[in-house]
């Protein structure tokens, strides 16, 4: 597997600002779990609060590659689905075969700072098992208590 595809040109943030890393443009190895810190394994979410984004998101760079639902395509070295993002172009096909690679984001503890960015994309097969893969669970309340 490719595991470390080249980061796209431009900033590392897709939330309106152009930052190379979630915390800004200056590298600081104490703000995420990448190979520069040399911890040799994963860390709990929240261990690097200074590495958070302005939106309060933690561990979007480094630690583990995060699986997404989006498809990469069938060619390991060239993504079929590129920028700009178009949810109607087939990349969100939940019925795709296991021979279609899925998108991974954010680098991991075994990857250098050049790839420990939320804008970094790579592809891998859904059945692959590495020690630096994970996923993000997002939970929101059903409704505010006052609406019940």
């Amino acid at each position: 597997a490719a595991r470390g595809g080249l980061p796209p040109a431009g900033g590392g943030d897709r939330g309106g600002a152009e930052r190379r890393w979630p915390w800004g443009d200056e590298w600081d190895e104490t703000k995420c779990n990448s190979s520069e810190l040399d911890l040799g394994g994963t860390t709990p979410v929240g261990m690097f609060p200074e590495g958070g984004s302005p939106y309060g998101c933690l561990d979007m760079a480094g630690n583990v590659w995060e699986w997404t639902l989006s498809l990469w395509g069938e060619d390991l070295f060239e993504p079929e689905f590129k920028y700009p993002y178009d949810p109607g172009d087939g990349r969100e096909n939940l019925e795709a075969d296991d021979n279609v690679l899925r998108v991974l984001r954010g680098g991991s503890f075994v990857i250098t700072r050049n790839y420990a960015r939320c804008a970094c994309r790579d592809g891998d097969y859904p059945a692959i098992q590495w020690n630096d893969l994970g996923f993000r669970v997002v939970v929101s309340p059903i409704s505010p208590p006052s609406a019940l």
Side-chain angles (χ1 to χ4, degrees):
R3 308 307 313 282
L6 293 176
D13 180 84
R14 300 293 182 233
E18 293 291 322
R19 291 183 297 276
R20 185 147 177 89
W21 292 280
W23 58 86
D25 287 328
E26 296 296 320
W27 172 251
D28 182 340
E29 71 181 29
T30 66
K31 292 186 176 181
C32 77
N33 185 5
S34 68
S35 65
E36 286 83 3
L37 200 53
D38 198 27
L39 294 177
T42 60
T43 53
V45 171
M47 187 167 171
F48 301 95
E50 296 298 316
S53 78
Y55 310 104
C57 298
L58 298 175
D59 297 301
M60 300 300 287
N63 205 23
V64 296
W65 284 100
E66 293 184 356
W67 285 110
T68 72
L69 287 176
S70 298
L71 301 178
W72 174 271
E74 293 185 27
D75 184 340
L76 185 61
F77 302 102
E78 182 67 28
E80 181 179 341
F81 303 101
K82 301 179 181 180
Y83 291 109
Y85 177 79
D86 177 4
D89 66 3
R91 72 179 73 209
E92 302 302 336
N93 178 4
L94 299 178
E95 304 299 321
D97 292 334
D98 286 346
N99 66 335
V100 179
L101 292 91
R102 288 356 187 241
V103 171
L104 299 169
R105 285 199 173 270
S108 77
F109 67 91
V110 298
I111 300 294
T112 68
R113 67 184 186 192
N114 293 329
Y115 304 101
R117 305 181 322 115
C118 53
C120 181
R121 298 171 72 228
D122 203 351
D124 220 327
Y125 295 100
I128 200 74
Q129 294 182 9
W130 297 95
N131 67 348
D132 64 340
L133 296 176
F135 58 93
R136 186 167 294 264
V137 177
V138 179
V139 179
S140 65
I142 295 172
S143 63
S146 63
L148 296 178

